[in-house]
Amino acid sequence: MKQNVGRTDRIARLAAAVALAILTYAGIIPENLSIVVYVVAGIIALTGIVRFCPLYKPFGISTCREKAPF
């Protein structure tokens, strides 16, 4: 699995996942949506940790910088 999530994208994903989890835990997100928000936060965090986003692949998007050939 080739990485397609760059450093800035990774940091933004992890920050968004933490923010969603905190908002849900604090009760700001309605109770009936809390499970959905926790799942979304988990998916966002997982894609940030493994540095691969399956939604980027079909569109050919990559936020990683290409490494020099030498």
Side-chain angles (χ1 to χ4, degrees), residues 40-51:
V40 169
I43 292 170
I44 291 171
L46 183 64
T47 59
I49 291 168
V50 298
R51 298 186 70 178

Side-chain angles (χ1 to χ4, degrees), residues 18-54:
V18 169
L20 284 173
I22 289 171
L23 289 173
T24 305
Y25 184 75
I28 296 171
I29 304 293
E31 237 178 87
N32 56 349
L33 292 177
S34 63
I35 298 296
V36 174
V37 174
Y38 277 131
V39 169
V40 169
I43 292 170
I44 291 171
L46 183 64
T47 59
I49 291 168
V50 298
R51 298 186 70 178
F52 176 76
C53 179

